[in-house]
Amino acid sequence: MNRLIDRRSFSAGLALSAIACAALLAGCGKVPDTIKVGVAQPLSGPLGALGQDLLNGVNLAVAELNQSGYTVDGKRVTLEVVALDDKADAATGKAVAQQLVDAGVVAVIGHLNSGVSIEAAPIYAAKDIAQIAISTNPRFTQLGFPTTFRMVGNDTLQARAIGSFAATQLSATRYAALDDGTPYGKGLADGAAEQLKAEKKDVVVRKSFDDKTTAFDALAEELKTAQVEVIVSTLNDFQALALLEALRKVGHTKVSLLGGDTIKTTDMTKGRGIVEGGLYATSPVLEAKEFTTGKPFLEKYTAAYKKPPAYGGHYSYDSMYVLSAAIQKAKSAEPADITKALHSINGYAPVSGTMTWDEKGEQRYGAVGVYELRRGGWELRMRSDRW
């Protein structure tokens, strides 16, 4: 009799233990005490200030979320940022991506450079880890991975903006299109040239360089001989400045220069007044001050880092908030669950208003602004999501 009772007690104990284990797994297995979010950006080198700005945005959001008592499925959770330097290099970016996967991050906010994002994407996708990037090359979301998400409008929209603005607002007939040979630069310049041709404009000079070239005397002569009136360029700011000086040397200054993000910098103020047609830049990274809720963010950012944002810190800040909402919606820290939630979420973004993605991971409400360099710096001329 005692043996029978012992067996029953033992069986009941097993059943209760199984139930307890199941409850434990349901309550804690999917939601650990700490959830790690990866940040992969260039934190050193020429683009270090931009990468650090993007990291700052994530850190600011995480600090606020943790302070507010962030919970997932009713459980208090601490968000932790794991930040690594991709050095704006594709090979380094791949190594960094693997390190973040190995560190157990549930999602990654990165990378800045399109070439790096594209190379790193398969590594994240293999583990169902969402990758939210500010990279703008269309190929990033054309890879076919469900894990690729873009913070801003892509180069297809920006190329249309460059071509359309150059054709309709700069009143010229002879154009040049120049690029820096990078995936970003070449793709953007090709798209702008196609848009110019669609607008019945002649692209009489089309040239590619590398991203370090600054010897432009021969190019300046060619532009003068071709009577180019508008230069569409995806060169870097230091390259554009060198080109402006070369144009001044050959006396061909009755031109306008319209560039991409890489000339929308404070250094470009050195070129103001060199060419008569003016200096313009386009960017899908709209400034925080352009949004009605941008002022509180700028005040918090400046208080935290003792300087204003350098680039897109408000987009990474917004991305972190939307990611945190997706984790809550998923009620899970499993990367696949979070990725699925990101595809269905219409996320509240504190600065830009909302972030929501299509099936490829393209931002549904991405816009491109056109800026003119004036005495006070870069001033918005117009912006649209329907160029």
Side-chain angles (χ1 to χ4, degrees):
M1 180 65 72
N2 286 338
R3 290 176 62 191
L4 182 59
I5 291 172
D6 289 343
R7 284 177 183 174
R8 287 175 179 171
S9 299
F10 181 67
S11 298
L14 281 178
L16 288 171
S17 296
I19 293 169
C21 288
L24 183 65
L25 288 171
C28 302
K30 284 191 174 183
V31 186
D33 294 333
T34 300
I35 294 178
K36 296 179 181 180
V37 175
V39 176
Q41 304 291 350
L43 303 177
S44 61
L47 297 178
L50 306 188
Q52 186 63 53
D53 181 46
L54 291 164
L55 173 58
N56 288 348
V58 176
N59 281 335
L60 185 59
V62 165
E64 292 174 358
L65 287 161
N66 284 336
Q67 189 174 9
S68 71
Y70 180 69
T71 62
V72 178
D73 198 19
K75 177 181 178 178
R76 180 73 180 267
V77 170
T78 299
L79 295 169
E80 178 185 327
V81 176
V82 181
L84 293 175
D85 183 4
D86 67 22
K87 302 183 185 299
D89 175 73
T92 304
K94 290 172 69 175
V96 160
Q98 190 59 56
Q99 290 175 51
L100 290 174
V101 169
D102 294 342
V105 301
V106 302
V108 173
I109 296 177
H111 303 245
L112 169 65
N113 305 83
S114 293
V116 181
S117 284
I118 290 166
E119 289 297 315
I123 297 171
Y124 301 127
K127 296 297 182 180
D128 301 313
I129 294 173
Q131 176 189 5
I132 307 174
I134 204 165
S135 305
T136 53
N137 191 296
R139 189 174 163 226
F140 171 60
T141 54
Q142 293 170 355
L143 295 169
F145 301 130
T147 48
T148 55
F149 298 87
R150 201 189 309 275
M151 296 182 197
V152 296
N154 66 22
D155 287 346
T156 300
L157 183 63
Q158 189 175 5
R160 289 203 302 267
I162 292 173
S164 179
F165 184 86
T168 61
Q169 304 297 314
L170 297 182
S171 302
T173 57
R174 300 175 70 79
Y175 293 76
L178 314 175
D179 71 70
D180 67 353
T182 64
Y184 160 80
K186 192 172 188 312
L188 192 57
D190 284 342
E194 289 174 12
Q195 183 65 31
L196 283 167
K197 291 174 184 177
E199 302 265 2
K200 311 300 182 187
K201 301 295 184 180
D202 290 330
V203 180
V204 294
V205 176
R206 177 71 181 96
K207 293 280 186 180
S208 288
F209 301 89
D210 63 34
D211 58 358
K212 298 177 180 62
T213 298
T214 54
F216 291 119
D217 288 352
L219 174 61
E221 287 286 2
E222 184 176 357
L223 295 173
K224 180 178 181 179
T225 301
Q227 299 179 339
V228 167
E229 302 159 276
V230 175
I231 302 167
V232 167
S233 160
T234 59
L235 299 173
N236 293 297
D237 56 358
F238 65 92
Q239 294 178 297
L241 288 169
L243 174 58
L244 292 176
E245 290 296 341
L247 289 169
R248 178 154 59 184
K249 281 170 60 177
V250 299
H252 187 57
T253 56
K254 289 185 178 182
V255 296
S256 302
L257 176 68
L258 172 61
D261 307 68
T262 50
I263 69 164
K264 189 175 173 286
T265 67
T266 54
D267 278 354
M268 276 303 296
T269 56
K270 300 171 187 175
R272 189 176 52 227
I274 294 179
V275 292
E276 298 175 30
L279 302 178
Y280 303 86
T282 60
S283 180
V285 182
L286 306 177
E287 295 184 27
K289 66 182 180 183
E290 296 173 35
F291 297 97
T292 56
T293 53
K295 186 177 179 181
F297 168 80
L298 290 169
E299 290 172 350
K300 290 187 292 187
Y301 187 103
T302 303
Y305 303 111
K306 312 306 178 189
K307 60 183 177 182
Y311 181 58
H314 49 302
Y315 283 99
S316 58
Y317 174 85
D318 279 358
S319 295
M320 187 61 234
Y321 264 96
V322 176
L323 174 59
S324 72
I327 295 171
Q328 288 177 322
K329 182 177 181 178
K331 297 182 180 181
S332 168
E334 291 297 321
D337 296 337
I338 296 167
T339 295
K340 183 178 179 181
L342 282 169
H343 273 289
S344 61
I345 200 168
N346 186 359
Y348 166 67
V351 180
S352 59
T354 185
M355 279 190 174
T356 181
W357 293 275
D358 66 16
E359 63 281 356
K360 290 185 178 180
E362 289 290 355
Q363 191 63 228
R364 290 187 186 277
Y365 304 115
V368 174
V370 181
Y371 302 81
E372 182 177 3
L373 186 59
R374 295 181 175 173
R375 286 190 176 182
W378 290 104
E379 296 182 13
L380 182 68
R381 281 283 301 269
M382 61 176 65
R383 77 179 187 190
S384 175
D385 60 356
R386 298 179 179 275
W387 288 97

